[in-house]
Amino acid sequence: MARTPQLVPLPDLTGRRAVVTGASDGMGQVIATRLASAGAEVVLPVRNPAKGEAAVAAVRAAVPGADVSLRELDLSSLASVAALGDTLRAEDRPVHLLVANAGVMTPPERQTTADGHELQWGTNHLGHVALVGHLLPLLVAGRARVVSQLSIAAARGTVQVDDPDSERSYDGMRAYRSSKIALGLFGLELQRRSTAGGWGITSALAHPGVAPTNLLAARPEVGRSSDTAARRVIRFLSARGLLVGTVASAAEPALLAATAPDAGGALFGPSGPGHVGGPAARQDLYRTLTDEAAARRVWDLSLAQAGVALDVAR
């Protein structure tokens, strides 16, 4: 039997505005629900309106009176990200928390975004970089916490700086690792630049360990007609409380990253054996994330590809 997760105690978030990507189901929906339960106003930017409405209904069923609403967003389209930025800036309300949680994982064949980028690089990484860029004034106004959701897969591999869009060759897992390591390096560089420039933004990293989320489920839109064998094994272990986490427990590291004091530049994940399950806790940065020169290269490449500039006028 799956164990009940050890929940991170959340502070009172009344009056705080949180934007959570990838919250139309699974782990993101859990994150949104927990933030709403602490009093936050939660904005769910979604690609699929029907799934989004179902997620809002689920959050309100779990948290009666929850302040939760939808906005449109397709992270694989930089125009869509820019449009969301326009919408939220027009609302002229500070954003206090941004959880960059959405993602896709290992399409069997190389696919591209609306802008011609490899799907994982464009969605997992560039879409979130662009979102930070377009929301920057609101993040500064809210002295925001930005949480970048990585993966345990990011502990190995490298960023494909010379071929970020896998145009010369494509390997699904290599491209996935590249997108997640890049997001982590970007998040750490965001923390360094915020500190140096007095932006007031705190940037932290999280990873969910291993859990039966929808990343490896049947996803016809990315060319996967059935659940992967790995997901079937993970689901079997999770249902029996063996080693790996649950969808609910996998959400907790991001919540700890979102609310823990002194979290800038830190990584949070499960604390069990191999960091694949167990209670959320701070942990050592992956070695793939410790090269500051690499982070600066990723920063420059990412801003150029995403078409945003992260400059704060003082």
Side-chain angles (χ1 to χ4, degrees):
M1 180 180 295
R3 296 181 293 271
T4 300
Q6 182 174 319
L7 300 182
V8 171
L10 300 182
D12 182 5
L13 298 176
T14 302
R16 315 291 281 178
R17 191 175 222 204
V19 177
V20 183
T21 68
S24 60
D25 61 15
M27 185 168 56
Q29 187 176 307
V30 175
I31 293 170
T33 302
R34 293 266 284 125
L35 293 174
S37 73
E41 177 210 348
V42 186
V43 176
L44 309 186
V46 300
R47 182 175 58 86
N48 184 319
K51 287 183 65 177
E53 292 289 356
V56 167
V59 172
R60 288 177 176 158
V63 186
D67 188 352
V68 56
S69 59
L70 297 180
R71 302 294 186 280
E72 294 182 13
L73 174 65
D74 180 352
L75 276 168
S76 69
S77 164
L78 293 175
S80 177
V81 179
L84 175 64
D86 290 343
T87 296
L88 293 179
R89 289 197 311 275
E91 293 172 11
D92 197 26
R93 298 179 58 196
V95 172
H96 303 93
L97 175 60
L98 172 62
V99 183
N101 169 72
V104 294
M105 184 176 183
T106 59
E109 305 293 335
R110 182 180 181 271
Q111 297 189 36
T112 56
T113 68
D115 307 287
H117 298 292
E118 188 275 320
L119 185 63
Q120 297 175 97
W121 178 258
T123 303
N124 301 349
H125 178 54
L126 291 183
H128 284 122
V129 169
L131 187 58
V132 171
H134 289 296
L135 296 185
L136 188 62
L138 304 180
L139 297 171
V140 171
R143 301 189 65 82
R145 177 75 55 90
V146 176
V147 177
S148 299
Q149 185 79 281
L150 308 187
S151 165
I152 198 168
R156 298 174 55 194
T158 188
V159 179
Q160 301 176 161
V161 176
D162 296 328
D163 188 24
D165 291 311
S166 301
E167 294 175 297
R168 292 199 289 268
S169 66
Y170 176 74
D171 175 274
M173 180 54 77
R174 186 174 65 223
Y176 179 70
R177 285 187 169 123
S178 178
S179 72
K180 289 296 188 177
I181 295 169
L183 185 62
L185 289 171
F186 177 84
L188 293 171
E189 187 66 11
L190 176 62
Q191 174 63 37
R192 283 188 284 269
R193 295 192 182 221
S194 175
T195 299
W199 299 357
I201 294 171
T202 302
S203 179
L205 313 178
H207 79 87
V210 176
T213 68
N214 289 332
L215 277 179
L216 293 174
R219 298 281 296 274
E221 72 274 17
V222 299
R224 186 183 301 124
S225 59
S226 60
D227 290 1
T228 65
R231 187 177 192 272
R232 291 194 290 271
V233 171
I234 293 166
R235 189 171 57 224
F236 176 89
L237 294 173
S238 177
R240 289 157 180 79
L242 300 173
L243 189 62
V244 303
T246 64
V247 172
S249 71
E252 293 300 304
L255 291 163
L256 185 57
T259 57
D262 302 318
L267 172 67
F268 299 83
S271 59
H275 300 294
V276 299
R282 190 184 299 247
Q283 56 191 235
D284 293 338
L285 282 179
Y286 297 147
R287 284 182 293 177
T288 56
L289 302 175
T290 57
D291 186 337
E292 293 188 18
R296 291 191 292 272
R297 289 194 296 272
V298 166
W299 178 273
D300 292 339
L301 171 66
S302 303
L303 295 187
Q305 287 195 319
V308 294
L310 270 72
D311 296 314
V312 177
R314 305 308 298 175

